[in-house]
């Protein structure tokens, strides 16, 4: 008998529901289970999605469930977290979100879950660390959405400057998904061409003076959306689905996600975003890219910033 691919999503709010629908659109798995304290909201989302299946490329089972559904799940996606205030700081809800993630992971493990955990809840790097500590699962099975979306935003900003498709741009945002995140500009390539050579050849389109403004724009993009519509959901749903797809289909793809560093980049015991190879085993390998001295200092500072909050969780 062929094993069905199953994903459990905890949190049926805007992010969780959008993630589920994105997975349905892409035919990622055979079964999606939604879990939420607000069962009426979750039931409504479930019914709405069920009615969309007739128009999709494949049949899927979508249902409202509970933590007993985690026993045979391949992936547990955690989107539930404490609401953020008007401070525009993902760290404000740290302790409340930590309690929520601890409860979710504990409930899943108690019901026999032993698959992959993909953490989306903010502050995502610290919540990924919490999930790792609570679950007792190997570090390669715990993945945070990290700066995958930030990196896509960076690609979009560079693409706007030089008028190319964002998919032709190879660029990462690394470190914390937050204010201390950094961009290793020395590694940015467009169609294989070094960003500094592009600037030299196209001075009217882009210059190094734009690096800081692009960096700030990337950090503020989420808040630009949040302050207008009260949430961000489509971008994070698509990036989360991208992670799950890599796991489900054994893609061996390199993505910038929040993962555990055990000596790589000179860091130990911290979850932060770096390029990593994802396949059916989870994080198969951390890809260590060469950075300039200044870039490495920024990355180290971001890691130290994250670790300073571990004592609070």
């Amino acid at each position: 008998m062929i094993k069905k691919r199953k994903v459990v999503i905890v949190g049926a709010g805007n992010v969780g529901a959008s993630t589920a629908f994105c997975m349905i659109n892409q035919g990622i798995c055979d079964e999606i289970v939604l879990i939420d304290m607000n069962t009426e909201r979750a039931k409504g989302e479930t019914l709405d999605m069920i009615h969309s299946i007739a128009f999709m490329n494949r049949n899927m089972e979508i249902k409202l469930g509970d933590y007993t559904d985690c026993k045979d799940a391949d992936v547990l996606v955690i989107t539930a977290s404490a609401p953020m205030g008007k401070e525009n700081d993902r760290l404000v809800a740290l302790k409340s979100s930590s309690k929520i993630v601890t409860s979710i992971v504990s409930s899943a493990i108690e019901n026999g879950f032993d698959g992959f955990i993909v953490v989306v809840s903010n502050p995502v790097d610290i919540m990924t660390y919490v999930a790792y500590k609570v679950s007792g699962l190997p570090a390669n099975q715990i993945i945070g959405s990290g700066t995958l979306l930030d990196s896509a935003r960076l690609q979009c900003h560079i693409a706007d400057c030089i008028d190319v498709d964002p998919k032709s741009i190879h660029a990462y945002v690394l470190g914390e998904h937050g204010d201390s995140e950094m961009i290793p500009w020395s590694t940015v390539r467009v169609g294989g061409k070094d960003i500094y050579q592009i600037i030299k050849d196209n001075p009217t389109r882009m210059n190094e003076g734009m690096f800081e403004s692009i960096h700030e724009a990337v950090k503020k993009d989420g808040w630009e959306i949040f302050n207008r519509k009260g949430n961000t959901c489509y971008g994070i749903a698509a990036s989360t689905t991208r992670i799950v797809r890599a796991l489900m289909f054994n893609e061996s793809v390199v993505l910038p996600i929040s993962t555990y560093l055990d000596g790589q980049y000179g860091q130990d015991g911290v979850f932060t975003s770096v390029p990593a190879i994802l396949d059916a085993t989870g994080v198969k390998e951390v890809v260590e890219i060469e950075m300039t001295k200044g870039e490495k200092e920024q990355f180290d500072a971001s890691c130290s910033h994250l670790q300073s909050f571990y004592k609070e969780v």
Side-chain angles (χ1 to χ4, degrees):
M1 183 176 179
I2 297 174
K3 183 182 183 301
K4 294 199 301 183
R5 296 188 177 107
K6 180 178 179 181
V7 176
V8 172
I9 300 175
V10 181
N14 293 300
V15 174
S18 297
T19 299
F21 192 61
C22 196
M23 290 183 185
I24 292 170
N25 268 285
Q26 295 187 30
I28 294 295
C29 55
D30 301 285
E31 181 180 353
I32 294 176
V33 179
L34 290 182
I35 300 176
D36 197 287
M37 291 180 64
N38 185 343
T39 54
E40 285 301 301
R41 165 70 185 264
K43 182 64 174 178
E45 295 287 3
T46 301
L47 289 172
D48 204 4
M49 287 183 233
I50 288 172
H51 299 158
S52 76
I53 296 297
F55 307 101
M56 300 300 170
N57 292 327
R58 61 166 295 183
N59 190 26
M60 293 176 68
E61 181 180 359
I62 318 297
K63 71 175 189 178
L64 175 67
D66 56 38
Y67 288 104
T68 60
D69 288 290
C70 293
K71 183 176 182 179
D72 59 345
D74 298 290
V75 181
L76 172 66
V77 177
I78 303 175
T79 68
S81 63
M84 289 183 289
K86 298 179 180 180
E87 298 90 347
N88 285 9
D89 187 348
R90 296 176 180 89
L91 294 170
V92 168
L94 176 61
K95 290 186 178 180
S96 297
S97 290
S98 178
K99 292 178 180 178
I100 293 170
V101 170
T102 296
S103 175
I104 292 169
V105 174
S106 296
S107 297
I109 297 299
E110 287 168 5
N111 281 278
F113 177 77
D114 63 356
F116 303 109
I117 298 179
V118 178
V119 182
V120 184
S121 310
N122 277 315
V124 67
D125 303 286
I126 302 172
M127 292 306 101
T128 307
Y129 170 79
V130 170
Y132 169 61
K133 287 295 186 182
V134 174
S135 71
L137 294 172
N140 66 295
Q141 291 180 218
I142 315 297
I143 300 161
S145 56
T147 58
L148 180 54
L149 179 55
D150 304 81
S151 297
R153 289 167 175 163
L154 172 61
Q155 292 165 353
C156 286
H157 283 290
I158 296 173
D160 285 343
C161 292
I162 58 178
D163 194 24
V164 298
D165 188 320
K167 292 189 290 294
S168 296
I169 297 170
H170 189 280
Y172 295 132
V173 177
L174 303 181
E176 176 200 12
H177 171 55
D179 289 343
S180 72
E181 65 188 31
M182 53 81 62
I183 300 170
W185 286 101
S186 64
T187 68
V188 175
R189 301 288 184 273
V190 181
K193 189 171 183 177
D194 179 277
I195 189 67
Y196 294 106
Q197 189 61 49
I198 290 172
I199 290 172
K200 182 180 178 180
D201 295 343
N202 303 272
T204 60
R205 294 187 184 181
M206 192 174 183
N207 58 72
E208 288 187 47
M210 300 169 69
F211 284 4
E212 185 58 34
S213 61
I214 290 175
H215 190 187
E216 285 302 309
V218 170
K219 288 194 291 186
K220 293 178 180 178
D221 275 342
W223 299 115
E224 290 291 329
I225 299 167
F226 182 86
N227 292 335
R228 286 173 169 81
K229 57 176 277 191
N231 69 85
T232 64
C233 58
Y234 304 125
I236 187 60
S239 59
T240 303
T241 300
R242 183 70 190 91
I243 293 170
V244 175
R245 190 172 82 207
L247 299 171
M248 289 292 195
F249 296 107
N250 194 29
E251 289 189 348
S252 289
V253 65
V254 178
L255 298 174
I257 47 89
S258 188
T259 188
Y260 186 78
L261 297 185
D262 185 20
Q264 300 94 336
Y265 290 96
Q267 296 292 330
D268 186 46
V270 62
F271 273 87
T272 194
S273 285
V274 292
I277 303 173
L278 294 184
D279 67 5
T281 66
V283 178
K284 181 169 73 172
E285 182 181 337
V286 169
V287 178
E288 294 191 72
I289 59 175
E290 187 174 344
M291 292 186 267
T292 66
K293 180 181 178 182
E295 290 167 351
K296 182 60 167 58
E297 288 173 351
Q298 292 176 40
F299 179 78
D300 290 343
S302 184
C303 292
S304 295
H305 176 67
L306 285 170
Q307 287 179 306
S308 70
F309 290 96
Y310 282 1
K311 61 181 179 294
E312 297 185 30
V313 295

